Amino acid sequence: MNQTMNQIQGAVQTLTQSSDTLFLLLGAIMVFLMHAGFAFLEVGTVRRKNQVNALVKILADFGISTIAYFFIGYWIAYGHHFFGSATELAQGNGYELVKFFFLLTFAAAIPAIVSGGIAERARFYPILMATFFTVGVVYPVFEGIIWNGNFGLQNWFSHRFGAPFHDFAGSVVVHAVGGWIALIAVLFLGMRKGRIRAGKHTNFAPSNIPFLALGAWILCVGWFGFNVMSAQTLNGISGLVAMNSLMAMAGGILAALVAGKNDPGFIHNGPLAGLVAVCAGSDLMHPLGALVTGIVAGVLFVWLFTHLQNKTRIDDVLGVWPLHGVCGAWGGIAAGIFGQRSLGGIGGVSFTAQLMGTIAGIIVAVVGSFVVYGTLHKVMGLRLSEEEEFNGADLAIHRISSTSED
């Protein structure tokens, strides 16, 4: 009898492990697909002479990110390495390996975010070097602090404010950190040539709205893997996360539609703003709270992007700082507002901890990226020459154009 029970328990455990592994693998594939979304969003926004570079840069960044995260970043964040035997690594259906793949797709989102901000004037290999250090060191430091409890900050939050910093799917850990890293890179690179004419700002129109829209659609679909599958096990999956993601996305669309005055570029970025913001509290909020979170994010993106392009010398091509940096930070704070029981949320979250954790993420991103990009700026230079920029990154870097007519 005992032997039969042990066999049943073993079979159930094996089935659970294999199911969790498959579940997380599907999530990793969905988030990996989002990188195609990043690529096409950038391709559709930049001028035609920089489209090849956008595609190559995103893919090359993913390769560099994989190496940096495998050898350095994952170890910094979680204290785990992959230098044991293949037999050891394959234990438990290889769940830990799939977990690495899943979290790698999050880490690789950092340079994909940065890519949109620095487009059209950045040198290729210095930026790949920056990717290695931001994914290998800067991002994992904060990731480990929040998602693995490193350095005791989460324990301090819990002791001081009654709850740790809550970021279910990375509004701050991934998006805000990536957006603020991008801002520092953009500041070091400066404005693209031709943006200021006769003392006035000139905006470059998107080169291909269908590609831009395709990128937005791919990102939106993949985001349900990004958010829902952040549970990392079948037992932890929640329809609330899916519903809140949907409502925040809808809020972002409608807010961008109205605030952006029916501009297709804003409309297709609106859902992304809402999805960025809801990541942190998607497992806590009531759907109405998620809707408000998305609406605020959509308005923030439209207003800040318009202000950046028309009033400042910050040349953020895709608006990744407002979209990811600011909307991500708003998401971290929003989790502390709409996650409260008094506003229909599940509770167990502290507004003060959310605010301070968000600020901590921004500080790590700004300081770390300043060291990385500042050093590369001094040692190698980050920007293409004026002639290379005029000819376009496609010809200057890759010696080929996106179409035969160019």
Side-chain angles (χ1 to χ4, degrees), residues 99-149:
K99 181 180 178 181
F100 165 81
F101 181 19
F102 183 70
L103 292 172
L104 163 66
T105 59
F106 281 53
I110 299 297
I113 291 168
V114 173
S115 178
I118 64 175
E120 300 200 320
R121 76 275 201 200
R123 295 179 63 200
F124 189 66
Y125 288 106
I127 294 303
L128 290 185
M129 292 185 66
T131 292
F132 183 88
F133 290 107
T134 52
V135 175
V137 180
V138 179
Y139 167 76
V141 166
F142 190 67
E143 177 190 19
I145 289 172
I146 301 306
W147 286 344
N148 198 48

mmCIF file of all heavy atoms in Angstrom, residues 99-149:
data_model
loop_
_atom_site.group_PDB
_atom_site.id
_atom_site.type_symbol
_atom_site.label_atom_id
_atom_site.label_comp_id
_atom_site.label_asym_id
_atom_site.label_seq_id
_atom_site.Cartn_x
_atom_site.Cartn_y
_atom_site.Cartn_z
ATOM 1 N N LYS A 99 13.554 28.480 -16.315
ATOM 2 C CA LYS A 99 13.429 29.712 -15.532
ATOM 3 C C LYS A 99 14.483 30.723 -15.960
ATOM 4 O O LYS A 99 14.199 31.925 -16.099
ATOM 5 C CB LYS A 99 13.568 29.407 -14.043
ATOM 6 C CG LYS A 99 13.424 30.636 -13.157
ATOM 7 C CD LYS A 99 13.580 30.278 -11.681
ATOM 8 C CE LYS A 99 13.493 31.519 -10.806
ATOM 9 N NZ LYS A 99 13.668 31.197 -9.362
ATOM 10 N N PHE A 100 15.697 30.254 -16.202
ATOM 11 C CA PHE A 100 16.744 31.150 -16.707
ATOM 12 C C PHE A 100 16.326 31.760 -18.040
ATOM 13 O O PHE A 100 16.466 32.969 -18.259
ATOM 14 C CB PHE A 100 18.068 30.399 -16.873
ATOM 15 C CG PHE A 100 19.069 31.139 -17.714
ATOM 16 C CD1 PHE A 100 19.837 32.161 -17.169
ATOM 17 C CD2 PHE A 100 19.220 30.849 -19.073
ATOM 18 C CE1 PHE A 100 20.742 32.862 -17.946
ATOM 19 C CE2 PHE A 100 20.113 31.547 -19.854
ATOM 20 C CZ PHE A 100 20.877 32.573 -19.291
ATOM 21 N N PHE A 101 15.826 30.939 -18.957
ATOM 22 C CA PHE A 101 15.391 31.418 -20.266
ATOM 23 C C PHE A 101 14.310 32.491 -20.109
ATOM 24 O O PHE A 101 14.355 33.549 -20.745
ATOM 25 C CB PHE A 101 14.880 30.228 -21.092
ATOM 26 C CG PHE A 101 14.409 30.564 -22.484
ATOM 27 C CD1 PHE A 101 14.781 31.742 -23.127
ATOM 28 C CD2 PHE A 101 13.580 29.674 -23.156
ATOM 29 C CE1 PHE A 101 14.339 32.031 -24.415
ATOM 30 C CE2 PHE A 101 13.132 29.963 -24.448
ATOM 31 C CZ PHE A 101 13.506 31.149 -25.062
ATOM 32 N N PHE A 102 13.334 32.215 -19.240
ATOM 33 C CA PHE A 102 12.246 33.165 -19.006
ATOM 34 C C PHE A 102 12.785 34.491 -18.478
ATOM 35 O O PHE A 102 12.449 35.573 -18.990
ATOM 36 C CB PHE A 102 11.252 32.558 -18.022
ATOM 37 C CG PHE A 102 10.045 33.416 -17.741
ATOM 38 C CD1 PHE A 102 9.077 33.625 -18.709
ATOM 39 C CD2 PHE A 102 9.875 34.000 -16.489
ATOM 40 C CE1 PHE A 102 7.957 34.400 -18.449
ATOM 41 C CE2 PHE A 102 8.758 34.773 -16.214
ATOM 42 C CZ PHE A 102 7.800 34.978 -17.200
ATOM 43 N N LEU A 103 13.627 34.433 -17.462
ATOM 44 C CA LEU A 103 14.159 35.661 -16.870
ATOM 45 C C LEU A 103 15.154 36.354 -17.793
ATOM 46 O O LEU A 103 15.304 37.575 -17.748
ATOM 47 C CB LEU A 103 14.795 35.344 -15.518
ATOM 48 C CG LEU A 103 13.794 34.913 -14.435
ATOM 49 C CD1 LEU A 103 14.523 34.435 -13.182
ATOM 50 C CD2 LEU A 103 12.840 36.055 -14.092
ATOM 51 N N LEU A 104 15.830 35.586 -18.654
ATOM 52 C CA LEU A 104 16.707 36.186 -19.655
ATOM 53 C C LEU A 104 15.909 37.084 -20.601
ATOM 54 O O LEU A 104 16.359 38.165 -20.957
ATOM 55 C CB LEU A 104 17.417 35.095 -20.459
ATOM 56 C CG LEU A 104 18.053 35.553 -21.787
ATOM 57 C CD1 LEU A 104 19.208 36.518 -21.539
ATOM 58 C CD2 LEU A 104 18.494 34.352 -22.615
ATOM 59 N N THR A 105 14.728 36.625 -21.009
ATOM 60 C CA THR A 105 13.932 37.444 -21.929
ATOM 61 C C THR A 105 13.544 38.767 -21.284
ATOM 62 O O THR A 105 13.391 39.782 -21.969
ATOM 63 C CB THR A 105 12.672 36.693 -22.386
ATOM 64 O OG1 THR A 105 11.861 36.350 -21.263
ATOM 65 C CG2 THR A 105 13.034 35.421 -23.143
ATOM 66 N N PHE A 106 13.386 38.777 -19.958
ATOM 67 C CA PHE A 106 13.146 40.026 -19.241
ATOM 68 C C PHE A 106 14.400 40.897 -19.262
ATOM 69 O O PHE A 106 14.341 42.096 -19.548
ATOM 70 C CB PHE A 106 12.761 39.740 -17.787
ATOM 71 C CG PHE A 106 11.336 39.331 -17.589
ATOM 72 C CD1 PHE A 106 10.779 38.281 -18.308
ATOM 73 C CD2 PHE A 106 10.541 39.967 -16.663
ATOM 74 C CE1 PHE A 106 9.456 37.893 -18.120
ATOM 75 C CE2 PHE A 106 9.218 39.597 -16.463
ATOM 76 C CZ PHE A 106 8.676 38.554 -17.189
ATOM 77 N N ALA A 107 15.541 40.278 -18.938
ATOM 78 C CA ALA A 107 16.803 41.021 -18.889
ATOM 79 C C ALA A 107 17.139 41.624 -20.243
ATOM 80 O O ALA A 107 17.599 42.773 -20.343
ATOM 81 C CB ALA A 107 17.929 40.099 -18.423
ATOM 82 N N ALA A 108 16.913 40.850 -21.314
ATOM 83 C CA ALA A 108 17.231 41.323 -22.658
ATOM 84 C C ALA A 108 16.300 42.435 -23.125
ATOM 85 O O ALA A 108 16.579 43.100 -24.125
ATOM 86 C CB ALA A 108 17.187 40.158 -23.644
ATOM 87 N N ALA A 109 15.195 42.628 -22.403
ATOM 88 C CA ALA A 109 14.311 43.751 -22.728
ATOM 89 C C ALA A 109 14.988 45.084 -22.422
ATOM 90 O O ALA A 109 14.615 46.114 -23.005
ATOM 91 C CB ALA A 109 12.997 43.636 -21.952
ATOM 92 N N ILE A 110 15.972 45.092 -21.526
ATOM 93 C CA ILE A 110 16.653 46.343 -21.176
ATOM 94 C C ILE A 110 17.311 46.966 -22.407
ATOM 95 O O ILE A 110 17.015 48.121 -22.762
ATOM 96 C CB ILE A 110 17.691 46.118 -20.054
ATOM 97 C CG1 ILE A 110 17.006 45.592 -18.783
ATOM 98 C CG2 ILE A 110 18.454 47.403 -19.764
ATOM 99 C CD1 ILE A 110 16.013 46.530 -18.152
ATOM 100 N N PRO A 111 18.216 46.280 -23.123
ATOM 101 C CA PRO A 111 18.807 46.895 -24.321
ATOM 102 C C PRO A 111 17.789 47.095 -25.439
ATOM 103 O O PRO A 111 17.949 48.001 -26.261
ATOM 104 C CB PRO A 111 19.894 45.902 -24.739
ATOM 105 C CG PRO A 111 19.498 44.604 -24.123
ATOM 106 C CD PRO A 111 18.833 44.972 -22.826
ATOM 107 N N ALA A 112 16.732 46.265 -25.492
ATOM 108 C CA ALA A 112 15.698 46.478 -26.508
ATOM 109 C C ALA A 112 14.972 47.789 -26.258
ATOM 110 O O ALA A 112 14.612 48.513 -27.197
ATOM 111 C CB ALA A 112 14.711 45.313 -26.501
ATOM 112 N N ILE A 113 14.737 48.113 -24.998
ATOM 113 C CA ILE A 113 14.150 49.403 -24.637
ATOM 114 C C ILE A 113 15.102 50.536 -24.992
ATOM 115 O O ILE A 113 14.717 51.525 -25.627
ATOM 116 C CB ILE A 113 13.811 49.425 -23.130
ATOM 117 C CG1 ILE A 113 12.647 48.468 -22.835
ATOM 118 C CG2 ILE A 113 13.485 50.844 -22.667
ATOM 119 C CD1 ILE A 113 12.431 48.197 -21.354
ATOM 120 N N VAL A 114 16.361 50.396 -24.588
ATOM 121 C CA VAL A 114 17.367 51.434 -24.850
ATOM 122 C C VAL A 114 17.499 51.695 -26.340
ATOM 123 O O VAL A 114 17.626 52.845 -26.784
ATOM 124 C CB VAL A 114 18.730 51.033 -24.252
ATOM 125 C CG1 VAL A 114 19.818 52.017 -24.665
ATOM 126 C CG2 VAL A 114 18.639 50.938 -22.728
ATOM 127 N N SER A 115 17.433 50.642 -27.140
ATOM 128 C CA SER A 115 17.630 50.753 -28.583
ATOM 129 C C SER A 115 16.704 51.779 -29.222
ATOM 130 O O SER A 115 17.112 52.549 -30.095
ATOM 131 C CB SER A 115 17.416 49.378 -29.227
ATOM 132 O OG SER A 115 17.560 49.447 -30.630
ATOM 133 N N GLY A 116 15.453 51.809 -28.778
ATOM 134 C CA GLY A 116 14.506 52.751 -29.359
ATOM 135 C C GLY A 116 14.825 54.192 -29.043
ATOM 136 O O GLY A 116 14.510 55.094 -29.828
ATOM 137 N N GLY A 117 15.451 54.441 -27.910
ATOM 138 C CA GLY A 117 15.781 55.816 -27.544
ATOM 139 C C GLY A 117 16.992 56.358 -28.271
ATOM 140 O O GLY A 117 17.046 57.538 -28.633
ATOM 141 N N ILE A 118 17.983 55.491 -28.517
ATOM 142 C CA ILE A 118 19.257 55.947 -29.074
ATOM 143 C C ILE A 118 19.348 55.764 -30.576
ATOM 144 O O ILE A 118 20.407 55.955 -31.168
ATOM 145 C CB ILE A 118 20.430 55.199 -28.411
ATOM 146 C CG1 ILE A 118 20.351 53.696 -28.739
ATOM 147 C CG2 ILE A 118 20.425 55.426 -26.901
ATOM 148 C CD1 ILE A 118 21.537 52.894 -28.232
ATOM 149 N N ALA A 119 18.241 55.415 -31.210
ATOM 150 C CA ALA A 119 18.250 55.065 -32.633
ATOM 151 C C ALA A 119 18.769 56.199 -33.507
ATOM 152 O O ALA A 119 18.702 57.365 -33.147
ATOM 153 C CB ALA A 119 16.831 54.685 -33.072
ATOM 154 N N GLU A 120 19.317 55.824 -34.649
ATOM 155 C CA GLU A 120 19.693 56.699 -35.759
ATOM 156 C C GLU A 120 21.026 57.427 -35.607
ATOM 157 O O GLU A 120 21.465 58.071 -36.538
ATOM 158 C CB GLU A 120 18.594 57.726 -36.065
ATOM 159 C CG GLU A 120 17.262 57.095 -36.441
ATOM 160 C CD GLU A 120 16.363 58.043 -37.192
ATOM 161 O OE1 GLU A 120 16.304 59.236 -36.845
ATOM 162 O OE2 GLU A 120 15.712 57.592 -38.150
ATOM 163 N N ARG A 121 21.684 57.318 -34.471
ATOM 164 C CA ARG A 121 22.980 58.015 -34.375
ATOM 165 C C ARG A 121 23.989 57.307 -33.484
ATOM 166 O O ARG A 121 25.071 57.821 -33.207
ATOM 167 C CB ARG A 121 22.801 59.458 -33.917
ATOM 168 C CG ARG A 121 22.501 59.693 -32.429
ATOM 169 C CD ARG A 121 21.062 59.586 -32.130
ATOM 170 N NE ARG A 121 20.702 60.269 -30.885
ATOM 171 C CZ ARG A 121 19.603 60.027 -30.203
ATOM 172 N NH1 ARG A 121 18.767 59.106 -30.602
ATOM 173 N NH2 ARG A 121 19.327 60.700 -29.102
ATOM 174 N N ALA A 122 23.687 56.086 -33.014
ATOM 175 C CA ALA A 122 24.598 55.385 -32.113
ATOM 176 C C ALA A 122 25.519 54.436 -32.877
ATOM 177 O O ALA A 122 25.101 53.766 -33.820
ATOM 178 C CB ALA A 122 23.799 54.595 -31.081
ATOM 179 N N ARG A 123 26.776 54.384 -32.448
ATOM 180 C CA ARG A 123 27.706 53.408 -32.999
ATOM 181 C C ARG A 123 27.307 52.007 -32.546
ATOM 182 O O ARG A 123 26.689 51.826 -31.501
ATOM 183 C CB ARG A 123 29.127 53.734 -32.551
ATOM 184 C CG ARG A 123 29.674 55.060 -33.090
ATOM 185 C CD ARG A 123 31.077 55.317 -32.564
ATOM 186 N NE ARG A 123 32.005 54.276 -33.024
ATOM 187 C CZ ARG A 123 33.169 54.013 -32.433
ATOM 188 N NH1 ARG A 123 33.524 54.686 -31.349
ATOM 189 N NH2 ARG A 123 33.960 53.082 -32.918
ATOM 190 N N PHE A 124 27.687 51.032 -33.348
ATOM 191 C CA PHE A 124 27.196 49.669 -33.148
ATOM 192 C C PHE A 124 27.918 48.934 -32.019
ATOM 193 O O PHE A 124 27.292 48.505 -31.046
ATOM 194 C CB PHE A 124 27.324 48.886 -34.459
ATOM 195 C CG PHE A 124 26.656 47.548 -34.445
ATOM 196 C CD1 PHE A 124 25.282 47.445 -34.338
ATOM 197 C CD2 PHE A 124 27.405 46.377 -34.548
ATOM 198 C CE1 PHE A 124 24.658 46.199 -34.333
ATOM 199 C CE2 PHE A 124 26.794 45.134 -34.545
ATOM 200 C CZ PHE A 124 25.415 45.049 -34.441
ATOM 201 N N TYR A 125 29.217 48.792 -32.092
ATOM 202 C CA TYR A 125 29.931 47.950 -31.127
ATOM 203 C C TYR A 125 30.031 48.573 -29.729
ATOM 204 O O TYR A 125 29.922 47.846 -28.724
ATOM 205 C CB TYR A 125 31.312 47.575 -31.671
ATOM 206 C CG TYR A 125 31.197 46.560 -32.794
ATOM 207 C CD1 TYR A 125 31.402 46.932 -34.117
ATOM 208 C CD2 TYR A 125 30.834 45.238 -32.528
ATOM 209 C CE1 TYR A 125 31.261 46.013 -35.151
ATOM 210 C CE2 TYR A 125 30.698 44.314 -33.552
ATOM 211 C CZ TYR A 125 30.915 44.703 -34.860
ATOM 212 O OH TYR A 125 30.755 43.782 -35.874
ATOM 213 N N PRO A 126 30.209 49.882 -29.603
ATOM 214 C CA PRO A 126 30.151 50.448 -28.246
ATOM 215 C C PRO A 126 28.806 50.205 -27.566
ATOM 216 O O PRO A 126 28.757 49.960 -26.351
ATOM 217 C CB PRO A 126 30.391 51.943 -28.487
ATOM 218 C CG PRO A 126 31.216 51.991 -29.730
ATOM 219 C CD PRO A 126 30.681 50.892 -30.588
ATOM 220 N N ILE A 127 27.722 50.238 -28.338
ATOM 221 C CA ILE A 127 26.409 49.982 -27.751
ATOM 222 C C ILE A 127 26.271 48.517 -27.335
ATOM 223 O O ILE A 127 25.672 48.199 -26.292
ATOM 224 C CB ILE A 127 25.292 50.373 -28.740
ATOM 225 C CG1 ILE A 127 25.298 51.890 -28.964
ATOM 226 C CG2 ILE A 127 23.928 49.908 -28.240
ATOM 227 C CD1 ILE A 127 25.154 52.713 -27.698
ATOM 228 N N LEU A 128 26.850 47.604 -28.116
ATOM 229 C CA LEU A 128 26.838 46.196 -27.713
ATOM 230 C C LEU A 128 27.633 45.989 -26.424
ATOM 231 O O LEU A 128 27.256 45.176 -25.573
ATOM 232 C CB LEU A 128 27.399 45.311 -28.821
ATOM 233 C CG LEU A 128 26.547 45.146 -30.083
ATOM 234 C CD1 LEU A 128 27.199 44.133 -31.022
ATOM 235 C CD2 LEU A 128 25.131 44.719 -29.747
ATOM 236 N N MET A 129 28.713 46.734 -26.267
ATOM 237 C CA MET A 129 29.482 46.653 -25.027
ATOM 238 C C MET A 129 28.662 47.176 -23.857
ATOM 239 O O MET A 129 28.682 46.610 -22.758
ATOM 240 C CB MET A 129 30.792 47.436 -25.158
ATOM 241 C CG MET A 129 31.784 46.824 -26.127
ATOM 242 S SD MET A 129 33.369 47.695 -26.149
ATOM 243 C CE MET A 129 33.972 47.360 -24.497
ATOM 244 N N ALA A 130 27.927 48.251 -24.087
ATOM 245 C CA ALA A 130 27.048 48.782 -23.042
ATOM 246 C C ALA A 130 25.989 47.764 -22.661
ATOM 247 O O ALA A 130 25.662 47.592 -21.479
ATOM 248 C CB ALA A 130 26.395 50.079 -23.516
ATOM 249 N N THR A 131 25.458 47.058 -23.659
ATOM 250 C CA THR A 131 24.479 45.997 -23.396
ATOM 251 C C THR A 131 25.058 44.938 -22.472
ATOM 252 O O THR A 131 24.394 44.482 -21.528
ATOM 253 C CB THR A 131 24.041 45.351 -24.726
ATOM 254 O OG1 THR A 131 23.289 46.291 -25.486
ATOM 255 C CG2 THR A 131 23.202 44.101 -24.474
ATOM 256 N N PHE A 132 26.290 44.535 -22.723
ATOM 257 C CA PHE A 132 26.920 43.504 -21.897
ATOM 258 C C PHE A 132 26.952 43.911 -20.429
ATOM 259 O O PHE A 132 26.620 43.120 -19.539
ATOM 260 C CB PHE A 132 28.341 43.225 -22.398
ATOM 261 C CG PHE A 132 29.037 42.118 -21.654
ATOM 262 C CD1 PHE A 132 28.906 40.802 -22.059
ATOM 263 C CD2 PHE A 132 29.819 42.394 -20.544
ATOM 264 C CE1 PHE A 132 29.527 39.774 -21.360
ATOM 265 C CE2 PHE A 132 30.450 41.379 -19.839
ATOM 266 C CZ PHE A 132 30.302 40.061 -20.249
ATOM 267 N N PHE A 133 27.315 45.157 -20.155
ATOM 268 C CA PHE A 133 27.452 45.590 -18.763
ATOM 269 C C PHE A 133 26.115 45.933 -18.107
ATOM 270 O O PHE A 133 25.938 45.697 -16.905
ATOM 271 C CB PHE A 133 28.411 46.776 -18.680
ATOM 272 C CG PHE A 133 29.844 46.407 -18.953
ATOM 273 C CD1 PHE A 133 30.456 46.775 -20.132
ATOM 274 C CD2 PHE A 133 30.567 45.658 -18.041
ATOM 275 C CE1 PHE A 133 31.777 46.423 -20.404
ATOM 276 C CE2 PHE A 133 31.889 45.292 -18.288
ATOM 277 C CZ PHE A 133 32.489 45.681 -19.479
ATOM 278 N N THR A 134 25.177 46.473 -18.874
ATOM 279 C CA THR A 134 23.880 46.777 -18.264
ATOM 280 C C THR A 134 23.101 45.500 -17.956
ATOM 281 O O THR A 134 22.470 45.392 -16.902
ATOM 282 C CB THR A 134 23.032 47.694 -19.169
ATOM 283 O OG1 THR A 134 22.944 47.151 -20.489
ATOM 284 C CG2 THR A 134 23.631 49.091 -19.241
ATOM 285 N N VAL A 135 23.163 44.510 -18.863
ATOM 286 C CA VAL A 135 22.459 43.247 -18.627
ATOM 287 C C VAL A 135 23.237 42.353 -17.671
ATOM 288 O O VAL A 135 22.657 41.611 -16.884
ATOM 289 C CB VAL A 135 22.199 42.511 -19.961
ATOM 290 C CG1 VAL A 135 21.583 41.139 -19.723
ATOM 291 C CG2 VAL A 135 21.289 43.338 -20.853
ATOM 292 N N GLY A 136 24.558 42.432 -17.732
ATOM 293 C CA GLY A 136 25.381 41.577 -16.892
ATOM 294 C C GLY A 136 25.547 42.068 -15.467
ATOM 295 O O GLY A 136 25.766 41.257 -14.553
ATOM 296 N N VAL A 137 25.427 43.396 -15.258
ATOM 297 C CA VAL A 137 25.702 43.939 -13.927
ATOM 298 C C VAL A 137 24.593 44.855 -13.413
ATOM 299 O O VAL A 137 24.014 44.616 -12.351
ATOM 300 C CB VAL A 137 27.049 44.704 -13.917
ATOM 301 C CG1 VAL A 137 27.323 45.252 -12.520
ATOM 302 C CG2 VAL A 137 28.188 43.809 -14.383
ATOM 303 N N VAL A 138 24.280 45.917 -14.154
ATOM 304 C CA VAL A 138 23.387 46.960 -13.627
ATOM 305 C C VAL A 138 21.992 46.406 -13.345
ATOM 306 O O VAL A 138 21.480 46.521 -12.226
ATOM 307 C CB VAL A 138 23.296 48.155 -14.600
ATOM 308 C CG1 VAL A 138 22.340 49.211 -14.037
ATOM 309 C CG2 VAL A 138 24.674 48.768 -14.840
ATOM 310 N N TYR A 139 21.375 45.817 -14.350
ATOM 311 C CA TYR A 139 20.020 45.273 -14.170
ATOM 312 C C TYR A 139 19.968 44.174 -13.117
ATOM 313 O O TYR A 139 19.081 44.194 -12.245
ATOM 314 C CB TYR A 139 19.482 44.773 -15.521
ATOM 315 C CG TYR A 139 18.248 43.919 -15.403
ATOM 316 C CD1 TYR A 139 17.010 44.489 -15.146
ATOM 317 C CD2 TYR A 139 18.325 42.527 -15.536
ATOM 318 C CE1 TYR A 139 15.867 43.697 -15.023
ATOM 319 C CE2 TYR A 139 17.198 41.740 -15.415
ATOM 320 C CZ TYR A 139 15.969 42.323 -15.159
ATOM 321 O OH TYR A 139 14.855 41.538 -15.034
ATOM 322 N N PRO A 140 20.880 43.188 -13.127
ATOM 323 C CA PRO A 140 20.785 42.108 -12.136
ATOM 324 C C PRO A 140 20.929 42.576 -10.688
ATOM 325 O O PRO A 140 20.414 41.915 -9.787
ATOM 326 C CB PRO A 140 21.931 41.171 -12.524
ATOM 327 C CG PRO A 140 22.201 41.463 -13.954
ATOM 328 C CD PRO A 140 21.935 42.924 -14.113
ATOM 329 N N VAL A 141 21.641 43.675 -10.476
ATOM 330 C CA VAL A 141 21.776 44.174 -9.107
ATOM 331 C C VAL A 141 20.398 44.509 -8.540
ATOM 332 O O VAL A 141 20.030 44.065 -7.444
ATOM 333 C CB VAL A 141 22.701 45.410 -9.055
ATOM 334 C CG1 VAL A 141 22.569 46.120 -7.709
ATOM 335 C CG2 VAL A 141 24.149 44.997 -9.283
ATOM 336 N N PHE A 142 19.606 45.263 -9.299
ATOM 337 C CA PHE A 142 18.274 45.631 -8.792
ATOM 338 C C PHE A 142 17.317 44.449 -8.866
ATOM 339 O O PHE A 142 16.472 44.278 -7.983
ATOM 340 C CB PHE A 142 17.712 46.818 -9.572
ATOM 341 C CG PHE A 142 16.464 47.387 -8.948
ATOM 342 C CD1 PHE A 142 16.527 48.008 -7.720
ATOM 343 C CD2 PHE A 142 15.241 47.283 -9.584
ATOM 344 C CE1 PHE A 142 15.378 48.525 -7.114
ATOM 345 C CE2 PHE A 142 14.089 47.792 -8.995
ATOM 346 C CZ PHE A 142 14.157 48.416 -7.755
ATOM 347 N N GLU A 143 17.429 43.642 -9.891
ATOM 348 C CA GLU A 143 16.599 42.439 -9.990
ATOM 349 C C GLU A 143 16.781 41.568 -8.763
ATOM 350 O O GLU A 143 15.797 41.073 -8.175
ATOM 351 C CB GLU A 143 16.970 41.650 -11.248
ATOM 352 C CG GLU A 143 16.209 40.348 -11.418
ATOM 353 C CD GLU A 143 16.757 39.472 -12.540
ATOM 354 O OE1 GLU A 143 17.928 39.692 -12.943
ATOM 355 O OE2 GLU A 143 16.031 38.572 -13.004
ATOM 356 N N GLY A 144 18.032 41.343 -8.358
ATOM 357 C CA GLY A 144 18.312 40.519 -7.192
ATOM 358 C C GLY A 144 17.809 41.137 -5.901
ATOM 359 O O GLY A 144 17.338 40.433 -5.001
ATOM 360 N N ILE A 145 17.880 42.460 -5.804
ATOM 361 C CA ILE A 145 17.385 43.149 -4.615
ATOM 362 C C ILE A 145 15.886 42.914 -4.440
ATOM 363 O O ILE A 145 15.404 42.622 -3.338
ATOM 364 C CB ILE A 145 17.689 44.666 -4.707
ATOM 365 C CG1 ILE A 145 19.190 44.918 -4.534
ATOM 366 C CG2 ILE A 145 16.891 45.450 -3.666
ATOM 367 C CD1 ILE A 145 19.594 46.359 -4.795
ATOM 368 N N ILE A 146 15.141 43.039 -5.533
ATOM 369 C CA ILE A 146 13.676 42.969 -5.444
ATOM 370 C C ILE A 146 13.166 41.543 -5.524
ATOM 371 O O ILE A 146 12.296 41.138 -4.735
ATOM 372 C CB ILE A 146 13.041 43.829 -6.561
ATOM 373 C CG1 ILE A 146 13.491 45.288 -6.434
ATOM 374 C CG2 ILE A 146 11.519 43.718 -6.523
ATOM 375 C CD1 ILE A 146 13.238 45.918 -5.070
ATOM 376 N N TRP A 147 13.643 40.752 -6.449
ATOM 377 C CA TRP A 147 13.067 39.428 -6.692
ATOM 378 C C TRP A 147 13.792 38.295 -5.983
ATOM 379 O O TRP A 147 13.321 37.161 -6.012
ATOM 380 C CB TRP A 147 12.993 39.161 -8.194
ATOM 381 C CG TRP A 147 11.891 39.937 -8.875
ATOM 382 C CD1 TRP A 147 10.840 40.554 -8.270
ATOM 383 C CD2 TRP A 147 11.743 40.153 -10.277
ATOM 384 N NE1 TRP A 147 10.034 41.151 -9.203
ATOM 385 C CE2 TRP A 147 10.561 40.918 -10.448
ATOM 386 C CE3 TRP A 147 12.475 39.793 -11.405
ATOM 387 C CZ2 TRP A 147 10.102 41.322 -11.704
ATOM 388 C CZ3 TRP A 147 12.023 40.195 -12.662
ATOM 389 C CH2 TRP A 147 10.845 40.958 -12.807
ATOM 390 N N ASN A 148 14.927 38.594 -5.351
ATOM 391 C CA ASN A 148 15.624 37.545 -4.602
ATOM 392 C C ASN A 148 15.981 37.970 -3.183
ATOM 393 O O ASN A 148 16.613 37.219 -2.445
ATOM 394 C CB ASN A 148 16.894 37.115 -5.358
ATOM 395 C CG ASN A 148 17.433 35.778 -4.894
ATOM 396 O OD1 ASN A 148 16.689 34.805 -4.767
ATOM 397 N ND2 ASN A 148 18.739 35.716 -4.635
ATOM 398 N N GLY A 149 15.602 39.192 -2.806
ATOM 399 C CA GLY A 149 15.844 39.655 -1.443
ATOM 400 C C GLY A 149 17.282 39.977 -1.126
ATOM 401 O O GLY A 149 17.670 40.021 0.058
#
